[in-house]
Amino acid sequence: MNNIESQTSVNIGVDVGKANLDIALHPSGQFYSIPNSEAHIRRFVKILGNYDIERIVVEATGRHEHALVQACDQAGLPIIVVNPISVRRYAQAIGVLAKTDRIDAQVIAKYAATLKPEFRPIPDKTSQKIRDLLARRAQLMEMSTMEKNRLQIMPKPLHRSIKSLIRMLHSQIETVTRQIEQEVAKVEHWRTKMEIMTSVPGVGKVLAYTLLSELPELGSLNRKEVAALVGVAPINRDSGKLNGKRRIRGGRHRVRTVMFMAMLSSIQCNPVFKRFYERLKAQGKIPKVALIACMRKMIVVLNTMIKS
């Protein structure tokens, strides 16, 4: 790494693995591989300070990219986390069918230089901790639901074991929920946003926490932008004389999933969304399409409330 020569305006692609980071520089074609450890990442980030960097692009791998992303963000380097599907489709479009760590890093670097993916705010440590806690809470909820389902089908001699595990999971869910509340309470502007969002009937704490951690842009976008970012804006599929069905695509899956569950409650307890939902169904919309439209209305309302 010490032999890296400075050059003007580089795009860097990083293929992230559990053990190693494979790094390609575009257009020079330089390639390096370093261990995916905090010590090696710190040294790598210091060297990158000598470059005029347009973008550093990594794929979302689940968790293995977090150390690099945080280190680059703290150093003020322009790092972007992108959807792996987008990179793979780009590779196919330019005819790269082979797949190795080196080739993947080079493709990511070319993707960065050619398509210039937009910058998004990197979650700070508190936001990331809340995201992790929310993910853990969802896992515990899923396990609890599985055990409750087993209680319906397993023989009675096993019910004691199942009920014991359900109680333990419920206790863990309460503990994680308290931890989330404690983390949110540490940030004053988050507390204010929480009060604004939860003032809307049907918007519970879990949805508010999810929006705080997963959608930091809320309140800074216009109605079309925020709907597209969440993935509740219908996309046209028209060609020539064909008028295809408009469907939602892309967006932030975790936000959309939590919003969908919240809307099932909102159309029962919030008269505004209930009337809107019933009016859409009366116009012939199927229930799922009507729910998505209500979700779009909800995120636009919340965005406006926080903005103003």
Side-chain angles (χ1 to χ4, degrees):
M1 292 291 294
N2 293 330
N3 295 326
I4 297 179
E5 297 177 358
S6 180
Q7 67 180 55
T8 302
S9 187
V10 298
N11 284 273
I12 299 175
V14 184
D15 183 62
V16 179
K18 182 178 180 180
N20 294 307
L21 300 174
D22 296 291
I23 305 148
L25 278 65
H26 182 83
S28 70
Q30 292 168 285
F31 175 79
Y32 305 91
S33 183
I34 65 171
N36 190 357
S37 69
E38 291 187 5
H40 287 86
I41 289 171
R42 281 195 299 269
R43 289 198 289 272
F44 171 59
V45 167
K46 286 181 181 178
I47 293 171
L48 289 181
N50 299 320
Y51 282 83
D52 176 17
I53 300 173
E54 282 193 25
R55 285 170 176 78
I56 304 170
V57 173
V58 299
E59 295 175 318
T61 62
R63 304 209 61 84
H64 300 311
E65 79 280 6
H66 285 186
L68 174 66
V69 171
Q70 291 296 335
C72 288
D73 185 54
Q74 290 170 8
L77 298 176
I79 189 160
I80 305 171
V81 182
V82 299
N83 190 326
I85 295 175
S86 299
V87 177
R88 199 61 208 153
R89 286 175 178 168
Y90 171 77
Q92 293 168 345
I94 63 175
V96 178
L97 302 180
K99 186 169 171 49
T100 67
D101 294 338
R102 181 174 188 137
I103 291 173
D104 287 349
Q106 291 169 340
V107 167
I108 296 169
K110 289 179 182 177
Y111 171 91
T114 305
L115 298 186
K116 302 184 184 302
E118 63 179 292
F119 293 97
R120 292 177 180 172
I122 302 298
D124 56 30
K125 287 187 177 180
T126 302
S127 299
Q128 186 59 55
K129 187 172 183 179
I130 292 174
R131 291 174 72 173
D132 293 341
L133 288 167
L134 284 167
R136 182 56 183 159
R137 186 182 185 277
Q139 292 166 359
L140 292 167
M141 292 287 289
E142 184 179 358
M143 287 188 283
S144 178
T145 300
M146 291 170 65
E147 288 301 306
K148 288 176 182 177
N149 291 337
R150 291 187 182 108
L151 194 61
Q152 305 299 318
I153 60 174
M154 298 301 286
K156 284 189 176 181
L158 298 177
H159 284 194
R160 183 176 180 180
S161 170
I162 296 171
K163 289 179 180 178
S164 175
L165 186 52
I166 291 173
R167 287 193 298 270
M168 184 190 72
L169 290 169
H170 183 69
S171 175
Q172 287 291 312
I173 292 168
E174 289 183 339
T175 299
V176 171
T177 302
R178 284 195 299 270
Q179 289 177 310
I180 296 171
E181 292 173 349
Q182 290 167 2
E183 291 300 321
V184 171
K186 294 177 183 178
V187 186
E188 184 176 351
H189 69 274
W190 278 18
R191 292 200 302 271
T192 304
K193 289 182 178 181
M194 275 288 298
E195 292 172 3
I196 293 171
M197 288 189 283
T198 53
S199 69
V200 178
V203 179
K205 289 184 176 181
V206 173
L207 175 56
Y209 294 149
T210 302
L211 293 174
L212 284 173
S213 60
E214 300 281 348
L215 196 66
E217 302 92 342
L218 191 66
S220 64
L221 305 173
N222 62 41
R223 56 189 299 131
K224 290 184 178 180
E225 290 171 336
V226 75
L229 197 57
V230 174
V232 290
I235 307 298
N236 291 345
R237 293 178 63 85
D238 302 333
S239 179
K241 296 181 179 180
L242 174 66
N243 293 321
K245 289 185 178 180
R246 301 171 75 199
R247 302 178 185 274
I248 59 171
R249 295 187 66 184
R252 299 189 183 172
H253 173 73
R254 195 179 304 182
V255 173
R256 195 165 58 251
T257 300
V258 177
M259 282 197 69
F260 185 85
M261 300 305 296
M263 187 49 65
L264 292 175
S265 170
S266 291
I267 59 175
Q268 301 297 325
C269 66
N270 187 315
V272 174
F273 290 119
K274 184 175 182 178
R275 286 195 298 270
F276 186 56
Y277 176 73
E278 294 298 338
R279 186 165 72 248
L280 289 172
K281 287 207 302 178
Q283 293 172 357
K285 303 294 184 184
I286 63 174
K288 186 175 181 180
V289 171
L291 277 171
I292 297 297
C294 289
M295 289 164 57
R296 184 166 61 255
K297 185 179 181 70
M298 174 184 276
I299 198 64
V300 168
V301 167
L302 293 174
N303 184 65
T304 303
M305 289 174 68
I306 291 176
K307 182 185 291 186
S308 59

